[in-house]
Amino acid sequence: MDNNSELKTETEVLVSAFLEGDKQAFNRLVQLYQTKIFNLALNYVKNQEEAKDLAQDIFVTVYKSLPGLREREKFTSWLYQIAINHCRNRYKKLSRRGYFSNLSLDDDETFIQIVGDEGPEKSLQRQNTIRLVRAAIDAMGEAEREILLLRDLQELAYEEISTILGIPLGTVKSKLNRARSSLKDRLKKNYHNL
Amino acid sequence: MKCDDCQNFFSPYLDGEITAEERVGVEAHLRSCSHCNGEWHAFRAAVTALRQIPVAKVPPGFLAGIHDKLENPSLTIRIQEWLAGVGKRQVAIPTAFAMLVVGFVSASLIHFIPLNRQQETPHPQTANTARTAISQPAAQPASLLASVMPAKDHPDFYPGVPTLSEYEEAGVDSLSRFAMLPEQQKKQAPIAVDFVSTGGHNHSYLDIPLPSLSRYHQKTTIHPDLLITIHSDDESARMGLLRQIMQSPHWQADIYNQNTIILSVPAGSFDQLRTICCQNTASFNPAYARDSRYISPKRFLTVAVTLE
């Protein structure tokens, strides 16, 4: 059984336990998904504190709405739907306030936490690559950026993305291909290794 | 397979979301087309670079923060929850609106009850006061006004308001904008006379050329909201004060008797009246009205200014 299957199985057990009154099961659900949801939030708001607050709000909504979930096996897609809605709303709210225009590009280090034992030169090169990729993603449209985050950073399956975004599977494939091609074209201009 | 078709398959080809037949077609094209082959390598490198973005660690206290938010929801969350529940309250909103309308109509009806009651039967207490007042000497207007200030056991719904109408019903047209009874009904309303000026007093302070002085020999009982008594021995100062008050465009003034003026003062203009009166030694009843922080709940105040 692979990691995804294990995660799915455990999630279903926990959701059932929570719905039967075991409130501790919710804490375990948070532990299972907090890193993914926090990173998703971070990719929208680009600030640790703001992302923490946003991700917590997402889980608060999940806690309150979970009793209304009809298909327990679709918890993950449902969780991401809530998360995406929260992220979009917070992103719009912050954009209206001019939050992102005040955010310096040099602040990237505040949320890129590179850990590892690679040498300083390689580490610098990797950081530079990440900075270029981030800049390319930020320059993309919301829909393109979203599908890239869901597929390549959140590692969600095509079917899950289809459910979360409410679009047909074929559209997911074509949109993802366009988004990745767009990323490639943007990086080509600045990244000689491509 | 054409170049465009091949490049449209890059993403599913990379993810393995492609049929065996499509895979063969893509691979064959990539072998034969150097341009597409170069694009494919760039495409794969871009996705690889994207996937290299490191995963950030969740800050400490994350779970505790969720429980804290669950136990103490912010105002924004409460509003969101309320808005989310609007659909469930679709029945409640029309009900609330209907209750609001009923409340408004009831309040309007109640507002007129004291006036109607007054029309049908003269208030016994008012009538008694009026009879007593007729026998009072003209030299004691201030004490008379004080004695008719609204009592705690006054049965009127809005103490002070009906008697203002009575004041108008006695023929004082200068306050007609406060009339709360139709003209026809006014004529039928009984006139309660509580004071008759005998005129000709040696120490009357109102023997100045005021146009309407002679018209008001009969007055009904009034219940002023405030009584301001001017204590000043300087006659010229008192005269000056009276002129200032009578000629001010900010309120409507009328003579009640030799020593007393009745004013209808918009609440917003009361500060000006207070300032004028405080130039002289003045006492206020109630005393707190002297305080500049005093704000009347009424839009218009009936103020009696009397010279001691």
Side-chain angles (χ1 to χ4, degrees):
Chain A
M1 192 182 280
D2 63 14
N3 285 343
N4 275 343
S5 300
E6 279 179 22
L7 179 65
K8 201 172 178 184
T9 308
E10 188 176 0
T11 299
E12 281 183 34
V13 171
L14 290 169
V15 170
S16 298
F18 177 80
L19 294 176
E20 284 158 17
D22 180 6
K23 301 297 178 193
Q24 288 298 321
F26 176 75
N27 292 347
R28 177 64 186 148
L29 276 173
V30 172
Q31 283 177 341
L32 286 180
Y33 289 95
Q34 61 183 6
T35 304
K36 283 177 175 292
I37 298 301
F38 173 72
N39 276 275
L40 180 71
L42 193 57
N43 278 302
Y44 274 86
V45 298
K46 300 171 179 57
N47 172 277
Q48 290 264 357
E49 272 308 305
E50 195 68 41
K52 182 184 175 186
D53 183 63
L54 173 55
Q56 284 174 336
D57 282 353
I58 291 166
F59 281 110
V60 166
T61 305
V62 167
Y63 183 91
K64 290 179 179 172
S65 310
L66 197 49
L69 179 65
R70 290 175 190 169
E71 298 167 278
R72 297 177 187 185
E73 66 280 4
K74 289 193 175 174
F75 172 82
T76 309
S77 303
W78 176 79
L79 166 66
Y80 272 97
Q81 278 178 335
I82 291 173
I84 289 283
N85 281 338
H86 268 274
C87 289
R88 284 174 181 172
N89 290 340
R90 183 71 66 97
Y91 182 79
K92 282 176 190 166
K93 186 178 159 187
L94 295 175
S95 297
R96 278 199 298 271
R97 291 181 183 173
Y99 171 85
F100 296 108
S101 55
N102 297 329
L103 208 66
S104 166
L105 283 176
D106 296 334
D107 293 344
D108 280 0
E109 278 76 10
T110 59
F111 71 98
I112 297 174
Q113 298 178 348
I114 298 173
V115 285
D117 52 2
E118 58 196 8
E121 194 181 338
K122 203 170 180 183
S123 172
L124 198 66
Q125 190 183 357
R126 195 175 164 209
Q127 281 198 22
N128 189 42
T129 306
I130 291 166
R131 188 176 288 109
L132 287 170
V133 173
R134 282 219 174 269
I137 292 175
D138 290 344
M140 293 167 84
E142 187 183 328
E144 284 187 339
R145 187 171 60 234
E146 214 160 60
I147 205 160
L148 280 184
L149 294 178
L150 292 176
R151 176 61 196 163
D152 291 320
L153 296 182
Q154 296 290 319
E155 298 172 343
L156 293 173
Y158 280 34
E159 291 78 11
E160 285 176 315
I161 296 170
S162 165
T163 308
I164 292 163
L165 298 181
I167 53 177
L169 196 59
T171 311
V172 172
K173 286 182 182 178
S174 58
K175 279 194 169 185
L176 182 62
N177 196 69
R178 263 203 303 278
R180 283 170 165 174
S181 295
S182 171
L183 176 70
K184 172 204 69 182
D185 293 339
R186 289 169 195 274
L187 287 178
K188 253 182 162 181
K189 293 175 188 171
N190 301 311
Y191 193 43
H192 63 276
N193 286 347
L194 283 177
Chain B
M1 185 178 276
K2 293 178 182 175
C3 290
D4 283 350
D5 296 332
C6 177
Q7 291 184 20
N8 284 340
F9 278 116
F10 277 176
S11 196
Y13 180 61
L14 182 71
D15 293 328
E17 299 276 341
I18 194 170
T19 63
E21 192 183 345
E22 287 165 342
R23 175 181 293 275
V24 171
V26 170
E27 288 175 352
H29 184 83
L30 288 178
R31 278 194 298 272
S32 61
C33 177
S34 59
H35 171 72
C36 283
N37 195 32
E39 287 298 309
W40 160 246
H41 284 290
F43 185 93
R44 194 173 54 184
V47 175
T48 306
L50 173 62
R51 288 176 177 173
Q52 278 182 351
I53 291 179
V55 175
K57 286 181 182 174
V58 177
F62 184 79
L63 183 61
I66 293 171
H67 285 284
D68 190 43
K69 285 188 175 191
L70 281 168
E71 286 160 22
N72 308 299
S74 67
L75 181 63
T76 315
I77 297 285
R78 288 204 295 269
I79 291 170
Q80 282 171 354
E81 285 176 353
W82 188 87
L83 289 174
V86 164
K88 297 171 189 171
R89 286 189 286 272
Q90 279 179 348
V91 179
I93 289 173
T95 311
F97 181 73
M99 287 175 71
L100 193 68
V101 170
V102 169
F104 181 75
V105 171
S106 306
S108 304
L109 289 173
I110 288 167
H111 189 68
F112 285 103
I113 285 172
L115 289 174
N116 294 337
R117 192 176 57 201
Q118 196 178 27
Q119 274 184 286
E120 288 162 8
T121 52
H123 194 284
Q125 189 181 344
T126 310
N128 289 340
T129 313
R131 278 193 292 277
T132 313
I134 289 170
S135 62
Q136 294 291 324
Q140 299 173 355
S143 58
L144 176 69
L145 282 168
S147 70
V148 296
M149 290 290 278
K152 280 183 181 175
D153 58 349
H154 199 288
D156 284 343
F157 198 87
Y158 293 116
V161 174
T163 48
L164 182 62
S165 299
E166 281 181 316
Y167 179 59
E168 292 168 345
E169 286 151 19
V172 185
D173 55 4
S174 59
L175 291 178
S176 60
R177 63 196 173 97
F178 290 99
M180 299 175 81
L181 289 173
E183 196 61 34
Q184 197 178 354
Q185 290 176 321
K186 272 201 215 174
K187 288 174 185 170
Q188 297 164 359
I191 298 169
V193 179
D194 71 339
F195 182 75
V196 178
S197 169
T198 54
H201 291 279
N202 291 334
H203 300 292
S204 169
Y205 296 107
L206 295 180
D207 52 356
I208 50 176
L210 292 172
S212 57
L213 180 63
S214 59
R215 290 177 54 197
Y216 306 113
H217 290 291
Q218 290 190 328
K219 297 288 189 289
T220 57
T221 302
I222 61 165
H223 291 179
D225 299 306
L226 294 169
L227 173 65
I228 302 175
T229 308
I230 308 295
H231 313 278
S232 176
D233 295 330
D234 183 351
E235 190 168 338
S236 62
R238 283 184 292 206
M239 292 297 289
L241 176 72
L242 278 176
R243 284 184 189 279
Q244 240 182 308
I245 292 173
M246 292 297 289
Q247 291 169 4
S248 171
H250 298 297
W251 48 74
Q252 207 153 6
D254 229 322
I255 299 166
Y256 185 75
N257 60 27
Q258 285 86 347
N259 295 337
T260 308
I261 303 168
I262 300 296
L263 306 174
S264 173
V265 185
S269 301
F270 180 68
D271 264 350
Q272 289 162 297
L273 177 65
R274 178 173 33 225
T275 308
I276 292 172
C277 292
C278 288
Q279 288 170 4
N280 292 272
T281 311
S283 61
F284 286 69
N285 186 6
Y288 55 74
R290 189 186 189 95
D291 193 322
S292 59
R293 289 169 297 182
Y294 169 71
I295 298 170
S296 166
K298 290 186 174 181
R299 287 180 60 211
F300 289 90
L301 291 166
T302 305
V303 182
V305 179
T306 186
L307 300 175
E308 196 178 59

